[in-house]
Amino acid sequence: MKDYIRRILIAGIMLVCVSLLFLGGKSAKAESTNDWMWPAEGVITDTFGTRNGHHKGIDIAAEPGTPVHSVEQGTVAKSYYSDSYGNVVFIRHENQTETIYAHLQNRYVQEGQKVARGETIGTMGNTGDSSGVHLHFELHQKEWTYNKKNAIDPFVAFGDKEIGHAITVAGQPMNSIEHTYIVKQGDSLWSIAKKSGTSVEEIKAVNHLSHDEISLGQQLILPDELEDYTYIVQEGDMLTEISLKYNTTIDSLIQINRIDNQTIYPKQVLIIQKNK
């Protein structure tokens, strides 16, 4: 009888230890990714563990060509086309994780390339084994494997969200949005900028517009309603020019965006903090 009770006590102690290790590991994963940015704007259409446990990532749906960003700085491990993932990019990060961006319409990066946090690595598409335009995003501890044994729920990094939740702007902390502007008949970016006391360039940057065309009923974020907003790096841009243009400092840009060696890349998304 005493031996039986001793075995029960040992089993109970082991169960408590294993539980504490599991909880501690999960907390560490969350802490190591708490500065990550969302990889794309859109609506969450599927979550981790669905389809009888076979869905090892999350799905974000938006319009074809929506920019897809690296959630954190890292190195491109793979960039290729597969029958299942379609156009896909694998990025390895310094915190011993690997992220996967699948079903892309276009890929802008190559294997071995260094990428910055927020850099545009491709655009959303419907390639490979896909039933509609979306980004399939996966997070793996250490590295991706064929059986996906290292897959982690991406919500550990981003926080729990439900299907139907809208990701407003990729990589941008939306600290204070008072209202948005709905495009009316006869509006142009120039007329909207003039009415709102901002510039066409700023409106294009925070709305990720690559051209000056807007459409009736389109919803625009006005940059003067944001405490922080974003800028998409153009070919030939330098931190000095960007800091002068937006009345900020190089040190602020480096700190907020965790830039190494003052190096920025075309199509990288920079968070610009407005002076208070």
Side-chain angles (χ1 to χ4, degrees):
M1 182 66 179
K2 289 182 179 180
D3 185 61
Y4 176 74
I5 293 173
R6 188 175 70 234
R7 290 182 181 182
I8 292 177
L9 288 173
I10 292 172
I13 292 170
M14 290 180 64
L15 180 62
V16 169
C17 291
V18 170
S19 299
L20 288 173
L21 284 171
F22 172 77
L23 291 172
K26 184 174 182 180
S27 176
K29 293 172 191 173
E31 183 178 354
S32 66
T33 57
N34 59 4
D35 289 330
W36 281 15
M37 56 172 49
W38 285 96
E41 62 181 6
V43 176
I44 294 175
T45 55
D46 206 352
T47 56
F48 184 89
T50 59
R51 309 175 200 179
N52 295 319
H54 296 298
H55 194 243
K56 298 300 184 180
I58 60 173
D59 292 343
I60 302 174
E63 294 295 319
T66 297
V68 174
H69 310 287
S70 176
V71 298
E72 179 59 288
Q73 66 183 21
T75 303
V76 177
K78 300 176 186 176
S79 177
Y80 68 106
Y81 182 90
S82 80
D83 291 337
S84 57
Y85 280 141
N87 282 313
V88 61
V89 172
F90 293 62
I91 298 178
R92 288 181 183 163
H93 307 283
E94 294 178 356
N95 64 351
Q96 302 301 308
T97 60
E98 188 167 22
T99 51
I100 287 81
Y101 311 76
H103 307 310
L104 302 176
Q105 180 177 342
N106 299 296
R107 290 178 283 115
Y108 295 151
V109 293
Q110 303 297 324
E111 183 175 337
Q113 182 177 334
K114 300 287 186 182
V115 294
R117 177 178 182 265
E119 183 170 347
T120 303
I121 60 171
T123 58
M124 196 177 294
N126 187 27
T127 58
D129 186 9
S130 170
S131 58
V133 177
H134 72 286
L135 168 69
H136 175 74
F137 175 85
E138 294 181 10
L139 168 62
H140 296 260
Q141 189 171 19
K142 293 186 178 179
E143 62 181 359
W144 179 92
T145 60
Y146 181 77
N147 61 7
K148 301 187 181 182
K149 65 179 182 179
N150 297 329
I152 303 170
D153 187 346
F155 288 162
V156 170
F158 300 121
D160 290 335
K161 305 294 180 187
E162 297 179 353
I163 291 177
H165 180 88
I167 307 304
T168 313
V169 176
Q172 178 177 322
M174 304 295 284
N175 293 328
S176 177
I177 301 179
E178 300 298 332
H179 67 270
T180 54
Y181 181 83
I182 306 300
V183 177
K184 300 177 178 60
Q185 188 71 41
D187 275 341
S188 66
L189 285 180
W190 183 85
S191 65
I192 296 171
K194 185 177 180 180
K195 285 188 290 186
S196 61
T198 185
S199 68
V200 170
E201 191 172 53
E202 284 188 327
I203 293 177
K204 289 172 66 176
V206 298
N207 291 280
H208 302 289
L209 300 176
S210 59
H211 48 73
D212 293 341
E213 298 176 4
I214 53 177
S215 56
L216 184 66
Q218 182 176 351
Q219 181 173 286
L220 296 175
I221 298 170
L222 299 182
D224 61 327
E225 300 300 334
L226 298 175
E227 290 180 9
D228 296 343
Y229 54 94
T230 58
Y231 174 74
I232 301 176
V233 177
Q234 307 299 313
E235 191 74 40
D237 274 346
M238 298 177 62
L239 286 177
T240 303
E241 298 168 347
I242 297 172
S243 65
L244 290 173
K245 183 182 295 183
Y246 292 99
N247 192 29
T248 185
T249 65
I250 295 176
D251 288 341
S252 176
L253 291 173
I254 290 173
Q255 183 177 4
I256 295 170
N257 296 281
R258 300 202 297 281
I259 297 170
D260 291 331
N261 300 321
Q262 297 194 19
T263 304
I264 54 177
Y265 308 90
K267 298 179 181 177
Q268 179 181 349
V269 177
L270 295 180
I271 297 173
I272 310 292
Q273 187 174 59
K274 285 193 172 182
N275 291 329
K276 305 297 188 288

